[in-house]
Amino acid sequence: MIKSDSNLPVETISVPEPEFFSDAVKAVDRLCELYTGATEFLTSKFSAALNGETPNARFRAFYPEVRMTTTTYAKVDSRLSYGHVSAPGTYSATITRPDLFRNYLEHQIQLLMDHHGVEVLIGASDTPMPVHFAAGAGEGVTVPQDGAMDFTLRDVFDVPDLAITNDDIVNGRSNTHPDGTCHLAAFTAQRVDYSLARLSHYTATDPEHFQNHVLFTNYQFYVEEFEAYARAALADPKSGYVAFVSTGNHSLTQPDGSIPPVAKMPQMPTYHLKKADGSGITLVNIGVGPSNAKTATDHIAVLRPHVWLMVGHCAGLRNSQSLGDFVLAHAYLREDHVLDDDLPVWVPIPPLAEVQIALEDAVEEVTRLEGYDLKRIMRTGTVATIDNRNWELRDQSGPVHRLSQSRAIALDMESATIAANGFRFRVPYGTLLCVSDKPLHGELKLPGMASDFYKTQVTRHLLIGINAMERLAEMPLERLHSRKLRSFEETAFL
């Protein structure tokens, strides 16, 4: 036992000495072994304390860590945006849930080995694992609020530390860890655990159900169409989809299966059309507003999805547009304000060619229009995102003048937030909206108009989003993950 700052001695578990690995699969096996040992130790001690056993020590376990050292510059294909470090040095990352991230970790570690010709060092880090996250990784154990137990929780177990749970790495405000090593991954283990817990809370589905391709929408109507599409996909053995998971973690594997009602809907109902390798599609109904859009993307980003797209409704700003027309965003006017502290508004959010082409091709396939004829129903241009749903009730001279200056063709409350957070988190992004009202031209979103619009347009719009995702799923990751999203000093891991 080691002494701590409190009066209690520290009790921990014996772990293997750090070991070098030249096999990515075995390296991840060791990460799983270290992680499982830590969580089981903390969970067992915590359960004993809850059952009345008086704690006689401070119980502590540590996240596993992957570390690599290189003394040379990597010779890699200049087209690659990840999988290598930019300069000689020692790089490290704390790891959580290696079972959940196994495929991701094996891929990233193997790239390091291939590009740098080095082994990776796997061992326990010096970052304590909070008991909340250890208990959350298992089943049947929850952490009561402080004061509900016979002991002070933080005197006996480590608890989440928000001082070190932040986005300093992705925001470019941190170049090294406290021990002097450089960052190997965009998120620390505790930051990932924080988001995994938040995802379960906000979406009412477990993180392991999330797929690599994420659709965001702002209307429940899309959910109903997504379920219908999922049932048809499950009926087709050639589709590659194996399950449909709805809110509450209910899994549907047969097209005619029933989905039980949920007693209490979460803030962001989420649904997953799954493939065995995780390359399926997740649909998140984020509701209305940039705050929800930021919250959802803040947490989904730790899962390192390959792409996310916004498919929602918008206000058309041009007289030449009609209700039901599509808008493919090529730029964003950001007046949502929720990301101002993380990504200043002067930072451009560039369109990603691979995503834009996939979306346009999907529109052509679903609508059976192409070339010049496609302009009849779709415009490309700037989408303005605001934080005031009732902006029309203010003096319109200021907002309308800014919209005109920006050449905006549509306005919503989520798209720029999702795209900007994709840029910030290095997740490829895109936006395809559908015009549901034209407030500047007297066509407001009223109940009768809305119902007719929803009946005719939602199905087609969702099919376009799914079609685009399936096109992107066939694209090599090296091509999809654009160098546009990488800064001067980047982590090797995606």
Side-chain angles (χ1 to χ4, degrees):
M1 291 187 181
I2 0 175
K3 291 290 182 181
S4 70
D5 294 335
S6 69
N7 294 326
L8 293 174
V10 175
E11 181 181 336
T12 187
I13 56 171
S14 176
V15 296
E17 288 294 318
E19 182 178 346
F20 284 101
F21 288 85
S22 58
D23 184 310
V25 174
K26 292 180 179 178
V28 178
D29 285 342
R30 176 58 56 85
L31 289 171
C32 291
E33 176 188 342
L34 293 170
Y35 178 79
T36 300
T39 55
E40 289 181 348
F41 170 77
L42 290 174
T43 302
S44 66
K45 295 299 183 181
F46 184 69
S47 296
L50 286 182
N51 291 328
E53 187 176 310
T54 303
N56 58 2
R58 179 177 178 83
F59 303 111
R60 171 167 279 181
F62 300 87
Y63 284 109
E65 175 189 70
V66 57
R67 182 178 292 240
M68 63 89 70
T69 300
T70 177
T71 58
T72 61
Y73 289 89
K75 294 181 179 180
V76 297
D77 189 329
S78 63
R79 295 171 296 181
L80 297 179
S81 66
Y82 66 97
H84 54 88
V85 298
S86 60
T90 298
Y91 298 77
S92 68
T94 50
I95 303 296
T96 188
R97 293 295 306 273
D99 57 323
L100 176 64
F101 291 100
R102 172 174 279 279
N103 291 339
Y104 167 81
L105 290 170
E106 288 180 3
H107 180 58
Q108 303 303 314
I109 290 173
Q110 190 62 55
L111 287 175
L112 283 179
M113 294 176 174
D114 292 344
H115 291 157
H116 292 278
V118 298
E119 297 179 321
V120 295
L121 185 66
I122 305 294
S125 72
D126 59 2
T127 301
M129 182 183 295
V131 68
H132 299 71
F133 299 147
E139 295 183 1
V141 180
T142 56
V143 180
Q145 64 184 30
D146 208 4
M149 297 164 285
D150 295 332
F151 61 93
T152 302
L153 184 65
R154 63 183 62 245
D155 285 345
V156 181
F157 296 94
D158 289 293
V159 298
D161 182 1
L162 291 181
I164 61 171
T165 307
N166 53 53
D167 286 330
D168 284 353
I169 301 175
V170 292
N171 287 346
R173 297 193 179 112
S174 173
N175 294 321
T176 60
H177 294 292
D179 66 358
T181 59
C182 300
H183 301 303
L184 196 56
F187 300 102
T188 62
Q190 191 165 168
R191 169 66 172 84
V192 173
D193 268 337
Y194 172 78
S195 281
L196 295 182
R198 294 289 82 200
L199 276 179
S200 294
H201 171 73
Y202 285 120
T203 70
T205 57
D206 292 337
E208 52 261 36
H209 295 308
F210 277 79
Q211 301 296 286
N212 286 326
H213 307 88
V214 183
L215 288 172
F216 295 103
T217 189
N218 48 15
Y219 280 96
Q220 180 66 20
F221 297 92
Y222 287 81
V223 172
E224 297 166 6
E225 292 299 327
F226 191 57
E227 179 185 334
Y229 181 89
R231 289 180 182 275
L234 292 177
D236 179 7
K238 297 180 180 180
S239 71
Y241 295 107
V242 297
F244 176 68
V245 176
S246 61
T247 296
N249 295 310
H250 179 77
S251 183
L252 191 72
T253 57
Q254 298 298 323
D256 56 352
S258 61
I259 298 177
V262 179
K264 183 179 179 181
M265 290 296 285
Q267 183 174 340
M268 301 177 192
T270 300
Y271 306 83
H272 314 274
L273 183 53
K274 300 178 66 174
K275 288 188 175 181
D277 61 357
S279 65
I281 302 171
T282 288
L283 176 72
V284 187
N285 180 8
I286 56 176
V288 177
S291 179
N292 278 2
K294 180 181 185 297
T295 297
T297 49
D298 277 351
H299 300 313
I300 293 174
V302 305
L303 297 173
R304 308 316 293 145
H306 295 323
V307 63
W308 60 41
L309 303 177
M310 177 65 188
V311 285
H313 294 169
C314 67
L317 300 178
R318 301 303 181 92
N319 189 49
S320 58
Q321 290 172 305
S322 300
L323 299 188
D325 282 357
F326 297 114
V327 172
L328 177 59
H330 274 194
Y332 301 90
L333 173 63
R334 296 170 52 201
E335 295 196 358
D336 50 328
H337 300 301
V338 293
L339 282 170
D340 289 359
D341 291 336
D342 294 304
L343 194 71
V345 293
W346 51 259
V347 175
I349 310 300
L352 304 180
E354 294 79 8
V355 178
Q356 300 296 99
I357 291 171
L359 281 167
E360 185 165 340
D361 288 347
V363 175
E364 288 185 352
E365 181 171 328
V366 173
T367 64
R368 301 184 182 278
L369 295 172
E370 60 183 22
Y372 191 63
D373 286 338
L374 195 61
K375 291 180 177 289
R376 298 179 186 275
I377 62 163
M378 186 179 78
R379 290 194 62 156
T380 58
T382 298
V383 169
T385 294
I386 58 169
D387 58 2
N388 177 15
R389 177 60 186 86
N390 298 313
W391 64 277
E392 304 102 316
L393 302 181
R394 288 187 171 185
D395 175 9
Q396 291 191 20
S397 59
V400 171
H401 182 63
R402 292 198 303 276
L403 291 172
S404 180
Q405 282 185 312
S406 71
R407 308 301 192 266
I409 60 172
L411 181 144
D412 79 344
M413 298 187 69
E414 300 86 23
S415 294
T417 309
I418 289 170
N421 241 6
F423 181 85
R424 185 165 74 102
F425 290 129
R426 288 74 164 169
V427 176
Y429 51 84
T431 299
L432 183 74
L433 302 176
C434 195
V435 176
S436 60
D437 61 311
K438 295 175 61 182
L440 298 183
H441 306 93
E443 294 189 66
L444 303 181
K445 190 181 294 183
L446 301 174
M449 295 168 61
S451 61
D452 291 339
F453 165 74
Y454 296 146
K455 289 177 183 177
T456 58
Q457 284 302 102
V458 167
T459 300
R460 189 161 70 158
H461 192 193
L462 180 66
L463 286 176
I464 292 169
I466 292 172
N467 185 300
M469 284 301 201
E470 291 178 339
R471 291 171 182 272
L472 292 167
E474 296 175 355
M475 189 176 296
L477 290 184
E478 295 82 1
R479 182 181 170 193
L480 179 58
H481 286 273
S482 172
R483 290 175 296 177
K484 291 180 184 177
L485 302 182
R486 313 295 277 182
S487 61
F488 294 167
E489 297 293 333
E490 274 298 336
T491 60
F493 286 7
L494 270 180

